[in-house]
mmCIF file of all heavy atoms in Angstrom:
data_model
loop_
_atom_site.group_PDB
_atom_site.id
_atom_site.type_symbol
_atom_site.label_atom_id
_atom_site.label_comp_id
_atom_site.label_asym_id
_atom_site.label_seq_id
_atom_site.Cartn_x
_atom_site.Cartn_y
_atom_site.Cartn_z
ATOM 1 N N GLY A 25 119.725 95.630 117.914
ATOM 2 C CA GLY A 25 120.743 94.993 118.742
ATOM 3 C C GLY A 25 121.591 96.056 119.414
ATOM 4 O O GLY A 25 122.065 96.983 118.761
ATOM 5 N N ILE A 26 121.770 95.921 120.722
ATOM 6 C CA ILE A 26 122.534 96.896 121.504
ATOM 7 C C ILE A 26 123.632 96.148 122.255
ATOM 8 O O ILE A 26 123.350 95.266 123.059
ATOM 9 C CB ILE A 26 121.627 97.655 122.493
ATOM 10 C CG1 ILE A 26 120.521 98.392 121.717
ATOM 11 C CG2 ILE A 26 122.441 98.618 123.341
ATOM 12 C CD1 ILE A 26 119.483 99.059 122.596
ATOM 13 N N ARG A 27 124.879 96.498 121.977
ATOM 14 C CA ARG A 27 126.007 95.841 122.643
ATOM 15 C C ARG A 27 126.164 96.441 124.041
ATOM 16 O O ARG A 27 126.202 97.659 124.203
ATOM 17 C CB ARG A 27 127.298 96.020 121.853
ATOM 18 C CG ARG A 27 128.444 95.179 122.418
ATOM 19 C CD ARG A 27 129.663 95.193 121.511
ATOM 20 N NE ARG A 27 129.348 95.025 120.114
ATOM 21 C CZ ARG A 27 129.180 93.855 119.485
ATOM 22 N NH1 ARG A 27 129.296 92.733 120.146
ATOM 23 N NH2 ARG A 27 128.895 93.804 118.209
ATOM 24 N N VAL A 28 126.264 95.560 125.041
ATOM 25 C CA VAL A 28 126.409 95.978 126.430
ATOM 26 C C VAL A 28 127.552 95.189 127.069
ATOM 27 O O VAL A 28 127.991 94.169 126.549
ATOM 28 C CB VAL A 28 125.089 95.779 127.224
ATOM 29 C CG1 VAL A 28 123.964 96.623 126.618
ATOM 30 C CG2 VAL A 28 124.680 94.318 127.297
ATOM 31 N N THR A 29 128.004 95.673 128.224
ATOM 32 C CA THR A 29 129.116 95.009 128.902
ATOM 33 C C THR A 29 128.644 93.997 129.938
ATOM 34 O O THR A 29 129.292 92.976 130.136
ATOM 35 C CB THR A 29 130.035 96.030 129.598
ATOM 36 O OG1 THR A 29 129.255 96.818 130.494
ATOM 37 C CG2 THR A 29 130.715 96.927 128.573
ATOM 38 N N GLU A 30 127.538 94.275 130.590
ATOM 39 C CA GLU A 30 127.056 93.396 131.657
ATOM 40 C C GLU A 30 125.555 93.195 131.506
ATOM 41 O O GLU A 30 124.776 94.140 131.604
ATOM 42 C CB GLU A 30 127.383 94.015 133.015
ATOM 43 C CG GLU A 30 127.020 93.125 134.173
ATOM 44 C CD GLU A 30 127.384 93.758 135.495
ATOM 45 O OE1 GLU A 30 128.592 93.925 135.765
ATOM 46 O OE2 GLU A 30 126.445 94.096 136.234
ATOM 47 N N LEU A 31 125.152 91.956 131.291
ATOM 48 C CA LEU A 31 123.752 91.658 131.024
ATOM 49 C C LEU A 31 122.835 92.087 132.165
ATOM 50 O O LEU A 31 121.819 92.737 131.925
ATOM 51 C CB LEU A 31 123.565 90.163 130.731
ATOM 52 C CG LEU A 31 122.118 89.732 130.484
ATOM 53 C CD1 LEU A 31 121.504 90.478 129.309
ATOM 54 C CD2 LEU A 31 122.045 88.229 130.286
ATOM 55 N N ALA A 32 123.161 91.756 133.389
ATOM 56 C CA ALA A 32 122.265 92.054 134.511
ATOM 57 C C ALA A 32 122.008 93.555 134.643
ATOM 58 O O ALA A 32 120.862 93.987 134.848
ATOM 59 C CB ALA A 32 122.828 91.494 135.811
ATOM 60 N N THR A 33 123.047 94.363 134.514
ATOM 61 C CA THR A 33 122.898 95.817 134.628
ATOM 62 C C THR A 33 122.050 96.362 133.488
ATOM 63 O O THR A 33 121.140 97.162 133.703
ATOM 64 C CB THR A 33 124.281 96.493 134.627
ATOM 65 O OG1 THR A 33 125.030 95.980 135.731
ATOM 66 C CG2 THR A 33 124.164 97.997 134.729
ATOM 67 N N ALA A 34 122.335 95.932 132.275
ATOM 68 C CA ALA A 34 121.579 96.411 131.114
ATOM 69 C C ALA A 34 120.130 95.947 131.176
ATOM 70 O O ALA A 34 119.199 96.731 130.920
ATOM 71 C CB ALA A 34 122.238 95.933 129.826
ATOM 72 N N GLU A 35 119.927 94.699 131.527
ATOM 73 C CA GLU A 35 118.561 94.166 131.588
ATOM 74 C C GLU A 35 117.741 94.908 132.645
ATOM 75 O O GLU A 35 116.572 95.229 132.417
ATOM 76 C CB GLU A 35 118.608 92.669 131.888
ATOM 77 C CG GLU A 35 117.291 91.976 131.681
ATOM 78 C CD GLU A 35 117.393 90.459 131.770
ATOM 79 O OE1 GLU A 35 118.474 89.911 132.072
ATOM 80 O OE2 GLU A 35 116.364 89.819 131.524
ATOM 81 N N ALA A 36 118.348 95.237 133.783
ATOM 82 C CA ALA A 36 117.651 95.996 134.824
ATOM 83 C C ALA A 36 117.281 97.391 134.328
ATOM 84 O O ALA A 36 116.183 97.883 134.593
ATOM 85 C CB ALA A 36 118.513 96.078 136.083
ATOM 86 N N PHE A 37 118.192 98.039 133.596
ATOM 87 C CA PHE A 37 117.909 99.370 133.057
ATOM 88 C C PHE A 37 116.744 99.315 132.075
ATOM 89 O O PHE A 37 115.796 100.100 132.163
ATOM 90 C CB PHE A 37 119.150 99.951 132.370
ATOM 91 C CG PHE A 37 118.892 101.270 131.705
ATOM 92 C CD1 PHE A 37 118.917 102.449 132.436
ATOM 93 C CD2 PHE A 37 118.614 101.342 130.345
ATOM 94 C CE1 PHE A 37 118.657 103.673 131.823
ATOM 95 C CE2 PHE A 37 118.361 102.555 129.727
ATOM 96 C CZ PHE A 37 118.380 103.728 130.472
ATOM 97 N N TYR A 38 116.791 98.400 131.126
ATOM 98 C CA TYR A 38 115.739 98.319 130.117
ATOM 99 C C TYR A 38 114.420 97.840 130.715
ATOM 100 O O TYR A 38 113.343 98.186 130.210
ATOM 101 C CB TYR A 38 116.199 97.485 128.925
ATOM 102 C CG TYR A 38 117.190 98.253 128.075
ATOM 103 C CD1 TYR A 38 118.561 98.084 128.231
ATOM 104 C CD2 TYR A 38 116.746 99.195 127.158
ATOM 105 C CE1 TYR A 38 119.467 98.824 127.483
ATOM 106 C CE2 TYR A 38 117.650 99.944 126.399
ATOM 107 C CZ TYR A 38 119.008 99.757 126.575
ATOM 108 O OH TYR A 38 119.893 100.499 125.831
ATOM 109 N N ALA A 39 114.481 97.096 131.814
ATOM 110 C CA ALA A 39 113.250 96.714 132.520
ATOM 111 C C ALA A 39 112.550 97.956 133.061
ATOM 112 O O ALA A 39 111.313 98.032 133.069
ATOM 113 C CB ALA A 39 113.565 95.738 133.647
ATOM 114 N N ARG A 40 113.313 98.945 133.494
ATOM 115 C CA ARG A 40 112.717 100.206 133.961
ATOM 116 C C ARG A 40 111.959 100.904 132.833
ATOM 117 O O ARG A 40 111.006 101.635 133.088
ATOM 118 C CB ARG A 40 113.804 101.122 134.524
ATOM 119 C CG ARG A 40 114.404 100.576 135.812
ATOM 120 C CD ARG A 40 115.675 101.265 136.208
ATOM 121 N NE ARG A 40 115.478 102.665 136.577
ATOM 122 C CZ ARG A 40 116.475 103.526 136.746
ATOM 123 N NH1 ARG A 40 117.733 103.141 136.581
ATOM 124 N NH2 ARG A 40 116.236 104.775 137.075
ATOM 125 N N LEU A 41 112.379 100.671 131.586
ATOM 126 C CA LEU A 41 111.683 101.242 130.423
ATOM 127 C C LEU A 41 110.535 100.351 129.951
ATOM 128 O O LEU A 41 109.884 100.654 128.956
ATOM 129 C CB LEU A 41 112.671 101.467 129.281
ATOM 130 C CG LEU A 41 113.804 102.457 129.547
ATOM 131 C CD1 LEU A 41 114.779 102.480 128.376
ATOM 132 C CD2 LEU A 41 113.257 103.856 129.811
ATOM 133 N N GLY A 42 110.306 99.232 130.640
ATOM 134 C CA GLY A 42 109.180 98.368 130.319
ATOM 135 C C GLY A 42 109.518 97.109 129.545
ATOM 136 O O GLY A 42 108.633 96.323 129.222
ATOM 137 N N PHE A 43 110.790 96.893 129.236
ATOM 138 C CA PHE A 43 111.197 95.704 128.476
ATOM 139 C C PHE A 43 111.402 94.513 129.409
ATOM 140 O O PHE A 43 111.947 94.662 130.500
ATOM 141 C CB PHE A 43 112.496 95.973 127.702
ATOM 142 C CG PHE A 43 112.318 96.905 126.542
ATOM 143 C CD1 PHE A 43 112.436 98.280 126.709
ATOM 144 C CD2 PHE A 43 112.026 96.416 125.275
ATOM 145 C CE1 PHE A 43 112.274 99.145 125.646
ATOM 146 C CE2 PHE A 43 111.863 97.272 124.208
ATOM 147 C CZ PHE A 43 111.974 98.644 124.385
ATOM 148 N N ARG A 44 110.983 93.348 128.958
ATOM 149 C CA ARG A 44 111.143 92.108 129.720
ATOM 150 C C ARG A 44 111.838 91.058 128.852
ATOM 151 O O ARG A 44 111.679 91.051 127.637
ATOM 152 C CB ARG A 44 109.787 91.550 130.165
ATOM 153 C CG ARG A 44 109.006 92.485 131.069
ATOM 154 C CD ARG A 44 109.666 92.592 132.448
ATOM 155 N NE ARG A 44 108.943 93.505 133.316
ATOM 156 C CZ ARG A 44 109.336 94.731 133.635
ATOM 157 N NH1 ARG A 44 110.455 95.218 133.146
ATOM 158 N NH2 ARG A 44 108.631 95.480 134.460
ATOM 159 N N ARG A 45 112.548 90.161 129.502
ATOM 160 C CA ARG A 45 113.258 89.101 128.783
ATOM 161 C C ARG A 45 112.252 88.201 128.067
ATOM 162 O O ARG A 45 111.258 87.788 128.631
ATOM 163 C CB ARG A 45 114.090 88.260 129.732
ATOM 164 C CG ARG A 45 114.902 87.186 129.006
ATOM 165 C CD ARG A 45 115.688 86.319 129.929
ATOM 166 N NE ARG A 45 116.821 87.068 130.469
ATOM 167 C CZ ARG A 45 117.870 86.489 131.028
ATOM 168 N NH1 ARG A 45 117.937 85.169 131.121
ATOM 169 N NH2 ARG A 45 118.854 87.220 131.499
ATOM 170 N N ASP A 46 112.563 87.906 126.815
ATOM 171 C CA ASP A 46 111.801 86.938 126.045
ATOM 172 C C ASP A 46 112.574 85.627 126.120
ATOM 173 O O ASP A 46 113.640 85.505 125.515
ATOM 174 C CB ASP A 46 111.654 87.400 124.594
ATOM 175 C CG ASP A 46 110.862 86.435 123.733
ATOM 176 O OD1 ASP A 46 110.630 85.284 124.167
ATOM 177 O OD2 ASP A 46 110.471 86.831 122.621
ATOM 178 N N PRO A 47 112.058 84.633 126.866
ATOM 179 C CA PRO A 47 112.825 83.388 127.035
ATOM 180 C C PRO A 47 113.115 82.663 125.723
ATOM 181 O O PRO A 47 114.073 81.898 125.635
ATOM 182 C CB PRO A 47 111.948 82.533 127.954
ATOM 183 C CG PRO A 47 110.633 83.202 128.009
ATOM 184 C CD PRO A 47 110.799 84.610 127.552
ATOM 185 N N ASP A 48 112.317 82.924 124.698
ATOM 186 C CA ASP A 48 112.559 82.301 123.394
ATOM 187 C C ASP A 48 113.662 83.008 122.608
ATOM 188 O O ASP A 48 114.067 82.532 121.548
ATOM 189 C CB ASP A 48 111.273 82.290 122.562
ATOM 190 C CG ASP A 48 110.195 81.418 123.175
ATOM 191 O OD1 ASP A 48 110.549 80.418 123.835
ATOM 192 O OD2 ASP A 48 109.013 81.753 123.011
ATOM 193 N N GLU A 49 114.127 84.141 123.102
ATOM 194 C CA GLU A 49 115.148 84.933 122.405
ATOM 195 C C GLU A 49 116.391 85.101 123.283
ATOM 196 O O GLU A 49 116.947 86.181 123.402
ATOM 197 C CB GLU A 49 114.585 86.310 122.035
ATOM 198 C CG GLU A 49 113.491 86.274 121.008
ATOM 199 C CD GLU A 49 114.003 86.002 119.608
ATOM 200 O OE1 GLU A 49 115.170 86.313 119.317
ATOM 201 O OE2 GLU A 49 113.224 85.477 118.801
ATOM 202 N N PHE A 50 116.800 84.038 123.937
ATOM 203 C CA PHE A 50 117.983 84.080 124.789
ATOM 204 C C PHE A 50 118.951 83.000 124.331
ATOM 205 O O PHE A 50 118.554 81.853 124.144
ATOM 206 C CB PHE A 50 117.618 83.856 126.262
ATOM 207 C CG PHE A 50 118.813 83.919 127.178
ATOM 208 C CD1 PHE A 50 119.300 85.136 127.599
ATOM 209 C CD2 PHE A 50 119.458 82.761 127.581
ATOM 210 C CE1 PHE A 50 120.418 85.208 128.430
ATOM 211 C CE2 PHE A 50 120.576 82.815 128.403
ATOM 212 C CZ PHE A 50 121.049 84.041 128.833
ATOM 213 N N SER A 51 120.216 83.377 124.146
ATOM 214 C CA SER A 51 121.230 82.408 123.739
ATOM 215 C C SER A 51 122.521 82.699 124.491
ATOM 216 O O SER A 51 123.233 83.651 124.159
ATOM 217 C CB SER A 51 121.472 82.494 122.233
ATOM 218 O OG SER A 51 122.594 81.697 121.888
ATOM 219 N N ALA A 52 122.792 81.882 125.515
ATOM 220 C CA ALA A 52 124.043 82.042 126.254
ATOM 221 C C ALA A 52 125.242 81.823 125.340
ATOM 222 O O ALA A 52 126.260 82.496 125.461
ATOM 223 C CB ALA A 52 124.077 81.086 127.440
ATOM 224 N N ALA A 53 125.121 80.895 124.386
ATOM 225 C CA ALA A 53 126.228 80.610 123.463
ATOM 226 C C ALA A 53 126.563 81.834 122.608
ATOM 227 O O ALA A 53 127.731 82.122 122.359
ATOM 228 C CB ALA A 53 125.882 79.423 122.569
ATOM 229 N N ASP A 54 125.533 82.561 122.182
ATOM 230 C CA ASP A 54 125.748 83.751 121.356
ATOM 231 C C ASP A 54 125.868 85.023 122.185
ATOM 232 O O ASP A 54 126.080 86.102 121.631
ATOM 233 C CB ASP A 54 124.589 83.923 120.362
ATOM 234 C CG ASP A 54 124.535 82.805 119.353
ATOM 235 O OD1 ASP A 54 125.613 82.294 118.956
ATOM 236 O OD2 ASP A 54 123.419 82.434 118.956
ATOM 237 N N ARG A 55 125.681 84.896 123.510
ATOM 238 C CA ARG A 55 125.703 86.044 124.424
ATOM 239 C C ARG A 55 124.711 87.107 123.962
ATOM 240 O O ARG A 55 125.036 88.284 123.858
ATOM 241 C CB ARG A 55 127.113 86.573 124.594
ATOM 242 C CG ARG A 55 128.051 85.493 125.161
ATOM 243 C CD ARG A 55 129.432 85.971 125.487
ATOM 244 N NE ARG A 55 129.503 87.012 126.477
ATOM 245 C CZ ARG A 55 129.505 86.836 127.810
ATOM 246 N NH1 ARG A 55 129.393 85.639 128.309
ATOM 247 N NH2 ARG A 55 129.608 87.872 128.620
ATOM 248 N N ALA A 56 123.482 86.651 123.695
ATOM 249 C CA ALA A 56 122.408 87.533 123.228
ATOM 250 C C ALA A 56 121.156 87.287 124.051
ATOM 251 O O ALA A 56 120.798 86.142 124.321
ATOM 252 C CB ALA A 56 122.119 87.289 121.757
ATOM 253 N N CYS A 57 120.512 88.366 124.432
ATOM 254 C CA CYS A 57 119.302 88.280 125.242
ATOM 255 C C CYS A 57 118.229 89.165 124.611
ATOM 256 O O CYS A 57 118.396 90.382 124.524
ATOM 257 C CB CYS A 57 119.601 88.750 126.667
ATOM 258 S SG CYS A 57 118.150 88.761 127.748
ATOM 259 N N GLY A 58 117.140 88.560 124.170
ATOM 260 C CA GLY A 58 116.048 89.304 123.578
ATOM 261 C C GLY A 58 115.140 89.875 124.645
ATOM 262 O O GLY A 58 114.807 89.213 125.632
ATOM 263 N N LEU A 59 114.758 91.133 124.450
ATOM 264 C CA LEU A 59 113.808 91.799 125.335
ATOM 265 C C LEU A 59 112.608 92.212 124.508
ATOM 266 O O LEU A 59 112.739 92.566 123.333
ATOM 267 C CB LEU A 59 114.428 93.046 125.978
ATOM 268 C CG LEU A 59 115.721 92.881 126.764
ATOM 269 C CD1 LEU A 59 116.184 94.236 127.301
ATOM 270 C CD2 LEU A 59 115.559 91.890 127.899
ATOM 271 N N VAL A 60 111.440 92.210 125.139
ATOM 272 C CA VAL A 60 110.224 92.637 124.457
ATOM 273 C C VAL A 60 109.458 93.595 125.363
ATOM 274 O O VAL A 60 109.429 93.440 126.583
ATOM 275 C CB VAL A 60 109.360 91.426 124.017
ATOM 276 C CG1 VAL A 60 108.860 90.640 125.214
ATOM 277 C CG2 VAL A 60 108.220 91.862 123.119
ATOM 278 N N HIS A 61 108.885 94.609 124.747
ATOM 279 C CA HIS A 61 108.073 95.617 125.435
ATOM 280 C C HIS A 61 106.607 95.241 125.255
ATOM 281 O O HIS A 61 106.259 94.592 124.253
ATOM 282 C CB HIS A 61 108.372 96.990 124.799
ATOM 283 C CG HIS A 61 107.823 98.139 125.545
ATOM 284 N ND1 HIS A 61 106.558 98.617 125.310
ATOM 285 C CD2 HIS A 61 108.356 98.905 126.525
ATOM 286 C CE1 HIS A 61 106.330 99.645 126.110
ATOM 287 N NE2 HIS A 61 107.411 99.841 126.864
ATOM 288 N N PRO A 62 105.722 95.634 126.160
ATOM 289 C CA PRO A 62 104.297 95.322 125.986
ATOM 290 C C PRO A 62 103.712 95.806 124.649
ATOM 291 O O PRO A 62 102.744 95.236 124.155
ATOM 292 C CB PRO A 62 103.619 96.024 127.163
ATOM 293 C CG PRO A 62 104.674 96.109 128.205
ATOM 294 C CD PRO A 62 105.971 96.279 127.454
ATOM 295 N N THR A 63 104.324 96.818 124.047
ATOM 296 C CA THR A 63 103.860 97.324 122.751
ATOM 297 C C THR A 63 104.316 96.448 121.590
ATOM 298 O O THR A 63 103.920 96.685 120.455
ATOM 299 C CB THR A 63 104.375 98.749 122.510
ATOM 300 O OG1 THR A 63 105.811 98.714 122.514
ATOM 301 C CG2 THR A 63 103.876 99.724 123.558
ATOM 302 N N GLY A 64 105.183 95.471 121.868
ATOM 303 C CA GLY A 64 105.714 94.609 120.812
ATOM 304 C C GLY A 64 107.100 95.005 120.346
ATOM 305 O O GLY A 64 107.720 94.277 119.570
ATOM 306 N N LEU A 65 107.624 96.146 120.793
ATOM 307 C CA LEU A 65 108.991 96.540 120.443
ATOM 308 C C LEU A 65 109.974 95.520 120.989
ATOM 309 O O LEU A 65 109.788 95.001 122.087
ATOM 310 C CB LEU A 65 109.326 97.906 121.032
ATOM 311 C CG LEU A 65 108.574 99.096 120.480
ATOM 312 C CD1 LEU A 65 108.830 100.322 121.349
ATOM 313 C CD2 LEU A 65 108.995 99.361 119.050
ATOM 314 N N ARG A 66 111.014 95.252 120.209
ATOM 315 C CA ARG A 66 112.007 94.258 120.619
ATOM 316 C C ARG A 66 113.414 94.845 120.573
ATOM 317 O O ARG A 66 113.747 95.619 119.685
ATOM 318 C CB ARG A 66 111.953 93.034 119.703
ATOM 319 C CG ARG A 66 110.658 92.276 119.839
ATOM 320 C CD ARG A 66 110.678 90.987 119.016
ATOM 321 N NE ARG A 66 109.563 90.166 119.417
ATOM 322 C CZ ARG A 66 109.556 89.332 120.459
ATOM 323 N NH1 ARG A 66 110.632 89.198 121.188
ATOM 324 N NH2 ARG A 66 108.485 88.641 120.754
ATOM 325 N N LEU A 67 114.225 94.435 121.545
ATOM 326 C CA LEU A 67 115.650 94.751 121.596
ATOM 327 C C LEU A 67 116.402 93.456 121.822
ATOM 328 O O LEU A 67 115.887 92.539 122.470
ATOM 329 C CB LEU A 67 115.969 95.693 122.763
ATOM 330 C CG LEU A 67 115.311 97.057 122.802
ATOM 331 C CD1 LEU A 67 115.680 97.758 124.107
ATOM 332 C CD2 LEU A 67 115.735 97.890 121.610
ATOM 333 N N HIS A 68 117.608 93.377 121.311
ATOM 334 C CA HIS A 68 118.506 92.280 121.650
ATOM 335 C C HIS A 68 119.719 92.887 122.331
ATOM 336 O O HIS A 68 120.390 93.752 121.753
ATOM 337 C CB HIS A 68 118.946 91.504 120.412
ATOM 338 C CG HIS A 68 117.911 90.591 119.883
ATOM 339 N ND1 HIS A 68 118.135 89.750 118.816
ATOM 340 C CD2 HIS A 68 116.641 90.346 120.273
ATOM 341 C CE1 HIS A 68 117.040 89.044 118.574
ATOM 342 N NE2 HIS A 68 116.130 89.402 119.436
ATOM 343 N N LEU A 69 119.970 92.463 123.562
ATOM 344 C CA LEU A 69 121.172 92.883 124.263
ATOM 345 C C LEU A 69 122.269 91.894 123.909
ATOM 346 O O LEU A 69 122.148 90.699 124.178
ATOM 347 C CB LEU A 69 120.931 92.898 125.775
ATOM 348 C CG LEU A 69 119.826 93.827 126.264
ATOM 349 C CD1 LEU A 69 119.683 93.704 127.780
ATOM 350 C CD2 LEU A 69 120.086 95.267 125.847
ATOM 351 N N ILE A 70 123.316 92.384 123.282
ATOM 352 C CA ILE A 70 124.475 91.571 122.931
ATOM 353 C C ILE A 70 125.501 91.841 124.027
ATOM 354 O O ILE A 70 126.104 92.910 124.071
ATOM 355 C CB ILE A 70 125.036 91.949 121.540
ATOM 356 C CG1 ILE A 70 123.925 92.039 120.494
ATOM 357 C CG2 ILE A 70 126.143 90.988 121.135
ATOM 358 C CD1 ILE A 70 123.099 90.793 120.317
ATOM 359 N N TYR A 71 125.676 90.895 124.941
ATOM 360 C CA TYR A 71 126.457 91.162 126.145
ATOM 361 C C TYR A 71 127.872 90.608 126.057
ATOM 362 O O TYR A 71 128.323 89.792 126.838
ATOM 363 C CB TYR A 71 125.725 90.687 127.412
ATOM 364 C CG TYR A 71 125.300 89.236 127.454
ATOM 365 C CD1 TYR A 71 126.053 88.299 128.156
ATOM 366 C CD2 TYR A 71 124.141 88.810 126.839
ATOM 367 C CE1 TYR A 71 125.666 86.972 128.221
ATOM 368 C CE2 TYR A 71 123.740 87.485 126.900
ATOM 369 C CZ TYR A 71 124.511 86.571 127.593
ATOM 370 O OH TYR A 71 124.122 85.257 127.656
ATOM 371 N N ASN A 72 128.614 91.153 125.090
ATOM 372 C CA ASN A 72 130.026 90.792 124.940
ATOM 373 C C ASN A 72 130.912 92.025 124.802
ATOM 374 O O ASN A 72 132.034 91.946 124.333
ATOM 375 C CB ASN A 72 130.227 89.858 123.741
ATOM 376 C CG ASN A 72 129.816 90.497 122.425
ATOM 377 O OD1 ASN A 72 129.450 91.671 122.373
ATOM 378 N ND2 ASN A 72 129.873 89.737 121.352
#
């Protein structure tokens, strides 16, 4: 889990590293966005 200030900026940065949003790991209520890499690595952006 990585705490970030702005979801769009962080998601764009991690997309450059190959991570994509996992729609099953997104919670607006919890302000958490799961990302997955083609290798199976996972990150959660905590955008609060």
Side-chain angles (χ1 to χ4, degrees):
I26 301 174
R27 188 171 316 275
V28 299
T29 56
E30 185 179 293
L31 178 59
T33 301
E35 192 171 4
F37 176 83
Y38 286 96
R40 292 166 67 192
L41 298 175
F43 289 89
R44 299 290 179 255
R45 183 182 287 198
D46 180 347
D48 295 329
E49 293 285 334
F50 181 82
S51 171
D54 295 326
R55 300 186 61 84
C57 177
L59 304 179
V60 64
H61 191 271
T63 61
L65 293 169
R66 294 185 167 276
L67 300 175
H68 284 184
L69 300 179
I70 312 303
Y71 55 100
N72 61 4

